[in-house]
């Protein structure tokens, strides 16, 4: 019996940890749902607002409410461009192109020029379309710096996985304005190769259903503790009854002799 109790304790600890982990993952999915809803609300609220100069919203810490607000930027491209890898648009894989623009006030700002799909059976293109020359006027969306580990945000040979103005600026040895602008259109034209990235999908995704699944896994783990203990007790009682019958049979045999 002592061995059985130790087994129950071990199972209870293991399944309780599994349940707590599942609950935490469920909460994480609900948190991601809240973030998605906040982002969608910001996109919807800013959709009908007129564009403003980028200096009205950018230059310091970006306000959550201003994300995906339309702004105008006037300046000249420096010619420095970064291949932003592992991107997709409408479920098609490819790259985005982030270029440095020196604005009319002398500050430098990242412009996400757009998306280049990967041709079937071929690697991502290495030839990035040249930036328009001379003064350029860009209309685009305000976007916050993307965050990740060093391997994702630090460029190597002008290739990077996430657009982070701090890390990209450090690689160039210059300070860039925090955040970046996702291009909608430009004058002169941006070129035919690049597809506009556009606003994010406004659906809520599968976060709620995933949260329910994780909570269900947690509940199953907790219920499983009782089920396993009950099954052990049932097997134990059966074993005891079988042992008693065997013992009684031996007694009967001895009495008959």
């Amino acid at each position: 019996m002592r061995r059985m109790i130790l087994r129950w304790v071990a199972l209870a600890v293991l399944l309780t940890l599994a349940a707590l982990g599942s609950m935490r993952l469920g909460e994480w999915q609900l948190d991601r749902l809240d973030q998605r809803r906040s982002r969608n609300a910001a996109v919807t609220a800013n959709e009908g607002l007129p564009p403003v100069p980028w200096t009205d919203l950018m230059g310091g810490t970006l306000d959550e409410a201003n994300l995906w607000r339309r702004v105008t930027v006037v300046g000249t491209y420096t010619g420095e461009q970064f291949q932003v890898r592992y991107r997709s648009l409408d479920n098609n894989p490819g790259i985005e192109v982030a270029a440095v623009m020196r604005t009319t006030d002398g500050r430098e700002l990242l412009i996400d020029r757009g998306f280049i799909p990967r041709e079937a059976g071929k690697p991502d293109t290495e030839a990035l379309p040249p930036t328009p020359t001379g003064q350029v006027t860009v209309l685009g969306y305000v976007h916050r710096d993307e965050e990740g580990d060093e391997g994702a945000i630090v460029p190597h040979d002008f290739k990077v996985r996430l657009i982070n103005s701090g890390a990209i600026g450090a690689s160039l040895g210059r300070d860039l304005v925090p955040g970046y602008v996702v291009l909608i259109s430009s004058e002169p034209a941006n070129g035919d190769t690049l597809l506009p990235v556009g606003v994010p999908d406004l659906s809520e995704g599968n976060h709620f259903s995933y949260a329910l699944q994780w909570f269900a896994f947690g509940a199953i783990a907790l219920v499983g503790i009782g089920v396993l203990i009950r099954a052990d007790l049932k097997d134990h009682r059966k074993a005891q009854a079988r042992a008693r019958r065997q013992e009684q049979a031996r007694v009967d045999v001895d009495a008959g002799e």
Side-chain angles (χ1 to χ4, degrees):
M1 189 66 180
R2 182 172 179 275
R3 180 176 297 178
M4 187 177 296
I5 292 174
L6 291 175
R7 167 184 159 85
W8 294 342
V9 171
L11 284 172
V13 170
L14 180 62
L15 292 178
T16 299
L17 289 175
L20 292 174
S22 296
M23 296 298 181
R24 183 68 189 90
L25 288 169
E27 291 172 355
W28 174 63
Q29 287 292 343
L30 290 180
D31 183 59
R32 292 192 66 190
L33 176 60
D34 287 341
Q35 293 175 19
R36 177 72 73 93
R37 286 172 173 170
S38 296
R39 186 203 65 186
N40 291 351
V43 172
T44 302
N46 292 332
E47 191 174 21
L49 297 178
V52 297
W54 72 273
T55 50
D56 287 2
L57 305 179
M58 303 178 70
T61 302
L62 283 171
D63 189 335
E64 185 81 26
N66 290 329
L67 300 181
W68 297 101
R69 178 80 186 272
R70 289 183 297 164
V71 295
T72 55
V73 186
V74 181
T76 55
Y77 286 109
T78 65
E80 296 154 319
Q81 298 194 99
F82 295 82
Q83 181 196 76
V84 188
R85 308 176 70 190
Y86 308 116
R87 297 289 171 140
S88 65
L89 182 65
D90 298 330
N91 294 321
N92 296 312
I95 63 169
E96 292 174 22
V97 179
V100 181
M101 173 176 281
R102 183 172 293 110
T103 65
T104 52
D105 69 358
R107 287 183 287 178
E108 292 184 336
L109 176 67
L110 285 173
I111 306 293
D112 184 345
R113 297 182 61 206
F115 177 82
I116 302 177
R118 181 191 308 150
E119 294 185 38
K122 294 184 178 180
D124 291 322
T125 179
E126 298 288 336
L128 305 184
T131 56
T133 58
Q135 183 168 285
V136 180
T137 300
V138 168
L139 173 67
Y141 298 107
V142 172
H143 201 293
R144 179 176 290 165
D145 281 328
E146 297 173 337
E147 300 294 339
D149 59 33
E150 185 175 318
I153 65 174
V154 175
H156 297 280
D157 297 326
F158 288 87
K159 297 178 181 178
V160 71
R161 286 166 49 197
L162 300 176
I163 303 177
N164 183 287
S165 61
I168 290 177
S171 75
L172 298 172
R174 305 198 300 273
D175 291 330
L176 302 182
V177 173
Y180 62 97
V181 172
V182 179
L183 185 146
I184 301 171
S185 63
S186 77
E187 181 61 40
N190 192 42
D192 297 331
T193 307
L194 292 152
L195 303 176
V197 174
V199 297
D201 176 21
L202 296 182
S203 71
E204 294 188 351
N206 297 319
H207 301 303
F208 185 70
S209 61
Y210 289 158
L212 291 180
Q213 289 175 19
W214 283 117
F215 289 142
F217 292 153
I220 290 170
L222 292 176
V223 171
I225 297 172
V227 171
L228 290 172
I229 291 175
R230 182 178 177 182
D232 274 353
L233 287 173
K234 186 176 181 180
D235 290 341
H236 182 64
R237 285 193 292 268
K238 286 181 178 179
Q240 286 182 323
R242 186 164 54 251
R244 285 195 296 269
R245 287 196 300 270
Q246 291 173 348
E247 180 62 26
Q248 184 62 47
R250 284 196 296 271
V251 170
D252 294 343
V253 169
D254 291 343
E257 293 177 352

